[in-house]
Amino acid sequence: MSGGLLVAGTTSDAGKSVLTAGICRWLHRRGVKVAPFKAQNMSNNSAVVLGPDGRGGEIGRAQAMQAAACGLAPDLRFNPVLLKPGSDLASQVVLLGEAVDTITAATFRTLRPRLAETAYAALAELRSEYDVVICEGAGSPAEINLRDGDYVNMGLARHARLPTLVVGDIDRGGVFAAMFGTLALLDPADQSLVAGFVVNKFRGDRGLLAPGLEMLRQLTGRPTYGVLPWALDLWLDAEDSLAYGRVLGRPAAPRGTEWLDVAVLRLPRISNATDVEALATEPGVRVRLTVEPAELAAADLVVLPGSKSTVADLAWLRETGLADAVTAHVAANRPLLGICGGYQMLARAIHDPVESRQGTVPGLGLLPIEITFDHRKTVRPAVGSAAGDLPVHGYEIHHGHVSTADPRLVPLLRYTGGADEGAMHGVVHGTHWHGAFESDEFRRWFLTRAARLAGRTGFRVAPDTSFAAARERSLDLLGDLVEEHLDTDALWRLVEDGPPTDLPFVPPGAPQR
């Protein structure tokens, strides 16, 4: 067979990514050869994938997570188009893993046919290789101002004749209006592909919801395929940092007598915010995102995460008073960590003719290094060690590199082969490596060091925390939720048979395309 399904949503962050991953894990456990697909993703959370030529390329982090749900290594075709916003008006275009252009809304129209062609070709290849491809939409299919030229929502569904589910987040409120309105704003041809709905994040008495689901069926002629309950443990591999609350995950009680409080700055153009998820899996580590300078005063460890626009986010730190708060934190001899763009901000000077095109700007001056941006983007896996022989795996995605450094600096990491990476300078630490803290031994070493520097002598790391196991538990939970709370027999019929042929039209509908 060459089955497929599109998971669309009433809004961004409605649950498309997790539902797609859950369906993928359910099918994988049934022995189905299944793959994920998202024609176009707009996210600064990306993962590095080795292409067929051996070079590193980028896809959305969510698609890497969905690949794991399928038991697969990530593939560039799983997310052929990735848009990485660098500002409110411009995004970098990553096509089959490679950065090819920077566009605005106006120039996107001219590039869109090429992007659509690439996406359609990638999907066709995947459908020839896999039994089932579960596709994820983007935003909402009812963004009628964007329907012309769409190739990720109903444009994709119509091109590939994909039955479509619309998922809505009931925790936001107004879920019935959102699901009905999404359907009713589509033209007849698009509506004919929407098979039904899924409710996400429900908590309470299911009996109170049932009459609403029946009325929705009467109004639309379409069933609700299931109601997924609220699950507190689903927080790893977030598609976007906005999916986080103030505190990441569910911090477990400390193994020692003290907690370690970690404050992560929620930069406007934060990139790969998932780096700090590994820290939050450790018992006794409370990781919170903040934009308040006062909250840094109580933190043991402050983290400057990655940024798609290092110079612009550095200016924002200064405008908000956060730069002064970071400097005061270091002056109080408490630890600071910068990752990728955050590491670059710690430099004495940043020379940037590429991203911001502002030339030379002063950094925070907390590390004796200078950063220079190169037009060529470094995208590659990273393997090495720390603290002598602790194994570390990660990946790099950056234009900036260290051009000048004090030779007396102590490296934080070392590549396999001997080259130094990153820096430790008193309480200040920095690295270009994303994902390094998913390496359990390195994470434990770093947190132990951070606790000592912060004076948290009662903090103890757990000897048995496995980030890889935590991710697998999360994926299995997604598969369990799909199996237990969705009508999987009906889902399988959709995958096998395609869209039902008797779906009624719901007025008013958009003009026919």
Side-chain angles (χ1 to χ4, degrees):
M1 64 178 296
S2 182
L5 184 72
L6 174 67
V7 178
T10 56
T11 62
S12 294
D13 199 31
K16 297 185 294 293
S17 296
V18 294
L19 179 56
T20 299
I23 294 173
C24 285
R25 178 50 65 109
W26 163 64
L27 289 171
H28 173 61
R29 294 197 301 206
R30 288 186 56 167
V32 176
K33 189 179 179 183
V34 58
F37 180 79
K38 185 161 184 170
Q40 174 189 295
N41 199 345
M42 178 173 278
S43 176
N44 281 329
N45 281 354
S46 60
V48 170
V49 179
L50 287 179
D53 59 358
R55 291 190 298 177
E58 295 177 75
I59 64 171
R61 178 102 181 178
Q63 281 62 66
M65 176 266 289
Q66 292 160 358
C70 298
L72 300 173
D75 187 313
L76 295 176
R77 297 172 299 174
F78 294 166
N79 176 208
V81 181
L82 175 62
L83 304 181
K84 305 190 75 173
S87 70
D88 292 341
L89 299 175
S91 294
Q92 185 181 67
V93 180
V94 179
L95 189 62
L96 286 175
E98 183 180 356
V100 297
D101 205 347
T102 297
I103 57 165
T104 64
T107 57
F108 179 68
R109 298 178 187 275
T110 60
L111 187 61
R112 188 164 51 194
R114 176 189 173 192
L115 304 183
E117 181 181 358
T118 301
Y120 291 156
L123 177 58
E125 288 183 11
L126 293 175
R127 295 188 80 179
S128 71
E129 296 173 22
Y130 292 89
D131 298 330
V132 178
V133 179
I134 304 299
C135 305
E136 178 188 343
S140 165
E143 292 165 351
I144 53 179
N145 56 312
L146 302 177
R147 179 58 182 88
D148 287 337
D150 165 57
Y151 61 91
V152 63
N153 288 306
M154 301 315 298
L156 181 74
R158 199 185 295 191
H159 173 84
R161 290 296 300 168
L162 295 173
T164 301
L165 299 177
V166 174
V167 58
D169 181 354
I170 198 170
D171 196 56
R172 295 171 180 260
V175 72
F176 292 119
M179 291 192 294
F180 178 86
T182 297
L183 179 66
L185 281 174
L186 303 179
D187 71 26
D190 286 351
Q191 284 196 24
S192 70
L193 300 172
V194 178
F197 309 99
V198 173
V199 175
N200 189 32
K201 293 186 182 177
F202 179 74
R203 38 187 167 183
D205 184 353
R206 173 70 185 271
L208 295 176
L209 185 65
L213 301 180
E214 174 57 23
M215 285 186 276
L216 184 66
R217 186 195 64 78
Q218 293 173 5
L219 286 166
T220 66
R222 291 159 173 83
T224 296
Y225 283 80
V227 178
L228 296 175
W230 176 275
L232 289 174
D233 291 328
L234 294 178
W235 58 276
L236 291 177
D237 294 300
E239 169 79 345
D240 192 286
S241 66
L242 295 178
Y244 297 133
R246 283 178 55 79
V247 177
L248 270 63
R250 301 172 61 192
R255 296 293 177 92
T257 59
E258 288 187 289
W259 287 80
L260 189 70
D261 187 68
V262 181
V264 182
L265 300 190
R266 194 192 287 268
L267 303 171
R269 299 160 190 86
I270 192 170
S271 176
N272 284 64
T274 48
D275 284 327
V276 295
E277 290 180 343
L279 304 180
T281 61
E282 286 288 346
V285 179
R286 180 176 181 266
V287 179
R288 53 193 170 87
L289 278 78
T290 182
V291 294
E292 296 295 333
E295 292 193 2
L296 271 59
D300 299 312
L301 169 66
V302 170
V303 179
L304 274 171
S307 167
K308 184 62 185 69
S309 298
T310 299
V311 170
D313 279 352
L314 177 58
W316 177 81
L317 289 181
R318 291 188 165 113
E319 291 165 3
T320 58
L322 283 164
D324 290 337
V326 168
T327 302
H329 178 86
V330 171
N333 285 317
R334 283 177 293 170
L336 173 69
L337 169 66
I339 303 174
C340 200
Y343 172 38
Q344 295 166 4
M345 294 178 196
L346 304 179
R348 289 171 174 166
I350 301 171
H351 311 287
D352 180 14
V354 177
E355 207 171 65
S356 69
R357 302 180 183 179
Q358 291 191 25
T360 297
V361 298
L364 294 176
L366 297 174
L367 281 177
I369 63 174
E370 293 189 10
I371 297 290
T372 299
F373 276 66
D374 194 312
H375 287 278
R376 292 171 299 174
K377 192 175 188 180
T378 298
V379 180
R380 64 189 179 192
V383 181
S385 61
D389 59 356
L390 300 179
V392 186
H393 293 75
Y395 55 98
E396 297 179 66
I397 308 172
H398 54 91
H399 284 281
H401 63 273
V402 177
S403 53
T404 304
D406 188 319
R408 295 169 295 179
L409 269 180
V410 178
L412 178 61
L413 299 164
R414 181 163 281 124
Y415 291 97
T416 298
D420 294 341
E421 208 296 310
M424 294 187 291
H425 184 60
V427 295
V428 182
H429 311 74
T431 177
H432 271 125
W433 288 19
H434 294 291
F437 295 102
E438 295 177 17
S439 300
D440 297 329
E441 292 181 81
F442 172 61
R443 182 180 65 252
R444 294 176 193 134
W445 171 83
F446 179 81
L447 289 173
T448 299
R449 174 182 170 85
R452 176 179 58 80
L453 291 171
R456 295 293 185 188
T457 57
F459 173 80
R460 298 288 182 273
V461 293
D464 54 354
T465 303
S466 166
F467 183 81
R471 174 175 284 147
E472 278 299 301
R473 285 194 300 271
S474 181
L475 293 173
D476 279 333
L477 175 57
L478 285 171
D480 292 343
L481 291 174
V482 166
E483 194 163 346
E484 294 169 15
H485 297 281
L486 267 59
D487 185 345
T488 53
D489 289 339
L491 279 183
W492 183 248
R493 288 193 295 272
L494 282 181
V495 169
E496 277 196 309
D497 302 335
T501 58
D502 57 350
L503 296 171
F505 171 69
V506 176
Q512 180 73 50
R513 285 175 175 79

